[in-house]
Amino acid sequence: MKYTNLGKSDLKVSRICMGCMGFGNATTGQHSWTLGEDESREIIKHGLDLGINFYDTAIAYQNGTSEQFVGRALREYAKRDDYVIATKFTPRTQDEIEGGVSGQKHIENYLNQSLKNLGLDYVDLYIYHMWDYNTPMEEIMEGLHNAVKSGKARYIGISNCFAWQLAKANYFARMNGLTEFVSIQGHYNLIAREEEREMAPFCASEGIAMTPYSALASGRLSRHPGETSKRLEEDAYARFKYDATAEADGKIIRRVEELAEKRGVSMTEISLAWLLTKVTSPVVGATKFSHVDGAVKATDLELTADEIDYLEELYVPHALAGVMAQNGKQKAGNVV
């Protein structure tokens, strides 16, 4: 496994981050395809054995049971200084808004609950899961700064936002002596490259780490055409992200398949090797040992410039997912 710093932080992270949305009680959350605790523990242990030290979860994943499963496994199989754990919080609820709960208090409450779920005293990276259009940005940034000052979070990141929002938030923090975001977790893969328009150039100029989710397009970039899975069949949000461009995407996926056969590697390795030329550490979901193995192998695969051009040539624009425009107002999408 190869390692790198997470943006300007001193966190040394593996080039693959294990996404933990696939872990959690399938009867209590929004997904029906997640793994139970015993299976989740084995996947996490396998990742640790192969050198993955970066794990990403969220309080919203399966009503907190993902955090619980991940926390117990990491505490059992690794020393605290040997892994980097990230978790995320969602915007204020309507009940909180009506009850006068401030953005600062919302963050404090959610972080305390996440730490309880994880069984930890602090998280390495606390991520603003999606932009809260009903809470002043100033309250969010002050709340996150308080989390770092208290020692409950070492660094902060953001997910599902526009480049202008990240720029605005970090500028506000810089001008007011507050903690800045060191990473962005956006939607980015070989068939969803909209982050290249604004976000990627901005992050490169500012030294902000990109740790994108949906690195394999919910499995589409790792399976031969016609192959399916429980998630592909039951994940309605993933279908929303990709069905509208399925025909165009299929041409790119066939090129991934072609290159994989030519190089004697898996489609997962080709897809992630491409993404690893663009970002710090892609978040890769894993529900099987083979998912972990393919992701780790990708870190050793180097594509030629011609191969990269061949994979990129047929891309067509996609509608934004994660952040989108609704009724003329920019709002956050589903939880991913």
Side-chain angles (χ1 to χ4, degrees):
M1 176 55 64
K2 298 174 182 178
Y3 301 87
T4 188
N5 278 85
L6 186 74
K8 295 178 180 178
S9 80
D10 64 358
L11 296 175
K12 189 72 72 174
V13 297
S14 49
R15 290 299 312 278
I16 296 294
C17 174
M18 183 177 289
C20 301
M21 190 171 72
F23 307 148
N25 190 332
T27 65
T28 63
Q30 63 186 134
H31 302 304
S32 60
W33 41 267
T34 55
L35 300 182
E37 184 160 12
D38 289 343
E39 295 172 292
S40 300
R41 286 159 58 87
E42 291 304 310
I43 297 292
I44 293 167
K45 184 178 185 302
H46 190 56
L48 289 166
D49 290 342
L50 292 181
I52 296 176
N53 77 337
F54 190 13
Y55 294 81
D56 174 84
T57 184
I59 196 169
Y61 295 165
Q62 302 304 89
N63 288 328
T65 59
S66 173
E67 288 182 324
Q68 292 167 17
F69 291 2
V70 172
R72 284 194 284 265
L74 289 175
R75 296 198 316 271
E76 178 174 351
Y77 296 126
K79 297 178 181 178
R80 182 63 186 92
D81 290 342
D82 292 340
Y83 61 85
V84 173
I85 182 71
T87 194
K88 302 183 281 290
F89 69 97
T90 47
R92 286 189 303 166
T93 65
Q94 190 58 40
D95 286 345
E96 285 179 306
I97 294 170
E98 293 174 358
V101 177
S102 68
Q104 294 96 325
K105 188 62 177 177
H106 168 77
I107 289 171
E108 181 184 356
N109 292 343
Y110 271 53
L111 179 52
N112 285 340
Q113 183 59 53
S114 286
L115 292 174
K116 181 179 179 181
N117 288 342
L118 291 163
L120 299 174
D121 296 325
Y122 68 92
V123 293
D124 298 286
L125 183 66
Y126 198 43
I127 300 174
Y128 186 16
H129 205 154
M130 57 185 61
W131 197 266
D132 186 344
Y133 288 88
N134 296 306
T135 302
M137 179 201 68
E138 294 82 358
E139 291 187 12
I140 298 296
M141 298 310 293
E142 289 168 3
L144 286 169
H145 182 66
N146 291 340
V148 174
K149 281 201 309 180
S150 70
K152 295 180 179 180
R154 293 183 64 191
Y155 295 96
I156 62 171
I158 192 168
S159 179
N160 291 313
C161 72
F162 294 99
W164 69 262
Q165 292 171 323
L166 174 53
K168 180 180 179 179
N170 268 4
Y171 180 77
F172 173 81
R174 194 172 304 168
M175 292 300 100
N176 290 278
L178 304 178
T179 306
E180 296 182 40
F181 293 117
V182 300
S183 66
I184 168 67
Q185 188 180 121
H187 179 216
Y188 187 22
N189 58 55
L190 192 52
I191 60 173
R193 292 168 49 200
E194 302 308 303
E195 291 285 77
E196 294 176 3
R197 301 182 187 277
E198 298 285 346
M199 188 63 80
F202 175 70
C203 289
S205 72
E206 294 289 308
I208 296 171
M210 296 184 71
T211 63
Y213 65 82
S214 205
L216 293 169
S218 302
R220 286 159 179 77
L221 286 164
S222 62
R223 292 185 176 84
H224 299 282
E227 290 183 348
T228 189
S229 69
K230 185 176 177 65
R231 179 175 183 181
L232 283 176
E233 294 171 357
E234 298 183 8
D235 191 340
Y237 184 55
R239 291 197 299 273
F240 156 75
K241 288 191 288 187
Y242 303 110
D243 277 4
T245 53
E247 184 176 350
D249 294 345
K251 296 176 182 179
I252 299 172
I253 293 170
R254 282 189 285 275
R255 289 196 172 190
V256 173
E257 181 182 39
E258 176 189 334
L259 278 182
E261 292 176 356
K262 179 181 177 181
R263 296 288 297 266
V265 298
S266 68
M267 292 175 65
T268 292
E269 290 168 71
I270 293 291
S271 299
L272 291 179
W274 174 84
L275 190 55
L276 283 162
T277 67
K278 314 288 185 179
V279 306
T280 302
S281 180
V283 179
V284 183
T287 53
K288 296 179 180 178
F289 280 10
S290 60
H291 297 165
V292 185
D293 295 338
V296 171
K297 289 178 182 177
T299 63
D300 289 323
L301 178 63
E302 294 188 11
L303 300 177
T304 67
D306 286 343
E307 288 172 330
I308 291 172
D309 289 342
Y310 188 62
L311 291 170
E312 295 180 351
E313 182 182 14
L314 301 180
Y315 182 71
V316 299
H318 281 57
L320 295 180
V323 286
M324 66 195 73
Q326 294 180 355
N327 300 321
K329 184 176 182 181
Q330 295 167 339
K331 291 191 175 181
N334 289 18
V335 175
V336 286

